[in-house]
Amino acid sequence: MAKIPQDVCVKQQKGSLMKFYLYAWKRSFDFTGTAGRNEFWWFFLIHFMVSITCIAVDIALGDLLPFSWIDAFYSVVSLPALLAAITRRLRDIGKSGVWGWVFLIPVIGPFWLTYMLVQPTSKREGWI
């Protein structure tokens, strides 16, 4: 029987979606292993909702304070977790994490990266 890597075991657990978000934060500086579609997209959805909330708070505080940096602070702090999750997701589809740089290509880059991130897990030898 093939041995299942640790990160695959986390994806198969049921429960709170926050597990995916917190798991990605725990692996913020871990660019090894893989991240399945479930793990990556649930993390990304919660990350997006937190970002929108930070922007709303910034706008609300804009009337009270001359500046508010909550969203900028969250963006900088969460960047390693997002980059690591993208790298692991790309490795899951059989690509190198270097493919994340495709995002920087003007106009088509973000669409190309998104296309790669939604691809199914590639089959590897020794995996179920």
Side-chain angles (χ1 to χ4, degrees):
M1 187 158 141
K3 186 173 182 178
I4 300 174
Q6 180 62 31
D7 50 359
V8 173
C9 295
V10 171
K11 290 180 247 178
Q12 295 173 348
Q13 292 178 359
K14 295 187 184 202
S16 169
L17 298 177
M18 286 299 289
K19 283 183 183 180
F20 294 116
Y21 184 70
L22 297 175
Y23 184 65
W25 273 96
K26 287 178 187 174
R27 295 184 67 192
S28 288
F29 297 99
D30 180 11
F31 291 82
T32 62
T34 62
R37 282 193 289 191
N38 250 357
E39 179 185 336
F40 176 78
W41 287 109
W42 284 118
F43 162 72
F44 188 80
L45 176 67
I46 295 170
H47 171 74
F48 180 75
M49 292 187 324
V50 170
S51 293
I52 295 298
T53 303
C54 289
I55 290 170
V57 170
D58 279 349
I59 291 170
L61 291 177
D63 295 337
L64 302 173
L65 302 172
F67 58 86
S68 182
W69 295 89
I70 296 170
D71 180 51
F73 177 76
Y74 177 73
S75 296
V76 169
V77 169
S78 66
L79 187 63
L82 186 60
L83 291 176
I86 289 171
T87 301
R88 289 192 307 271
R89 179 70 196 116
L90 288 170
R91 293 186 74 213
D92 189 56
I93 65 167
K95 302 260 187 218
S96 166
V98 176
W99 276 96
W101 289 101
V102 78
F103 181 83
L104 299 177
I105 297 173
V107 182
I108 196 168
F111 297 107
W112 190 357
L113 181 61
T114 302
Y115 172 77
M116 288 190 290
L117 294 174
V118 299
Q119 297 303 306
T121 298
S122 68
K123 294 183 168 101
R124 293 178 217 68
E125 270 188 43
W127 285 47
I128 294 176

